[in-house]
Amino acid sequence: MPAAPVGQPLGPLAWTVIATIILGLLSLVVQLVVHVWWPLLFILAAAVGVPMLIDSRRTKREAESRSGESICGFARSFDRRAIDPWIIRAVYEEFSYLYPVRASDRFWDDLGVDEEDLDDSLLDIAERIGRSLDDVEANPMWTKVVTVGDLVLFLQGQPKLDAR
């Protein structure tokens, strides 16, 4: 069958062939979904479950290795004459929900705290200790907060709010 000239509509035979090809492809997709759904579900469950299991075991091991630690060891990581003890307590309490934290703990790598959660925690801590978060760019620690200790130093550099 010769090709239809450009600009002319396709004939009924051409539309029948196109419709048959499209229906055949749709049938193949439906058959794959119907017969292959359970392996896909298994793969999805493994992709989600295995990392969760590994993380929970890591957290349990870390908690066991820090079983004797407390806020006292955390506070000794700082010069208590230069750092407000309320900052030390508030930061420790905010992040010690899984196990006792250390000043050297990195937020993402050790605690699993991402930037958004860290921002939320920063707002909560600043409110609890009465520190302003205005003009944070002027704080020399602004872009250097990687560890829990860095956060303590960052908050120490923020001005106190007026007591009302």
Side-chain angles (χ1 to χ4, degrees):
M1 170 169 109
V6 176
Q8 290 198 352
L10 296 175
L13 182 61
W15 282 112
T16 305
V17 170
I18 292 172
T20 305
I21 291 172
I22 291 173
L23 288 174
L25 288 174
L26 284 174
S27 173
L28 178 64
V29 168
V30 168
Q31 290 297 320
L32 284 174
V33 169
V34 167
H35 294 294
V36 185
W37 70 269
W38 65 269
L40 293 176
L41 187 61
F42 177 73
I43 291 169
L44 179 64
V48 171
V50 169
M52 287 176 60
L53 181 64
I54 290 170
D55 189 53
S56 76
R57 287 185 178 172
R58 182 195 62 80
T59 302
K60 184 178 178 184
R61 277 194 312 272
E62 194 67 35
E64 289 171 356
S65 73
R66 297 180 183 201
S67 65
E69 297 181 24
S70 68
I71 191 171
C72 299
F74 181 72
R76 282 188 215 105
S77 303
F78 304 98
D79 179 4
R80 287 175 284 169
R81 283 172 250 159
I83 305 291
D84 183 354
W86 288 109
I87 295 174
I88 295 171
R89 174 172 288 285
V91 170
Y92 183 83
E93 289 175 351
E94 183 73 21
F95 296 106
S96 64
Y97 53 89
L98 292 176
Y99 44 77
V101 294
R102 297 175 180 153
S104 61
D105 284 340
R106 295 166 302 203
F107 286 108
W108 176 249
D109 297 330
D110 299 328
L111 302 176
V113 175
D114 64 10
E115 266 187 58
E116 193 172 306
D117 292 337
L118 181 58
D119 289 343
D120 293 341
S121 294
L122 178 61
L123 292 172
D124 293 342
I125 294 169
E127 184 178 332
R128 285 174 53 193
I129 61 174
R131 295 283 175 151
S132 170
L133 290 178
D134 295 335
D135 199 25
V136 292
E137 293 85 11
N139 190 322
M141 291 297 295
W142 169 238
T143 59
K144 300 174 184 169
V145 175
V146 176
T147 66
V148 178
D150 295 340
L151 181 62
V152 170
L153 297 175
F154 169 77
L155 288 166
Q156 181 64 35
Q158 288 302 111
K160 291 182 181 179
L161 292 172
D162 295 330
R164 295 182 184 171

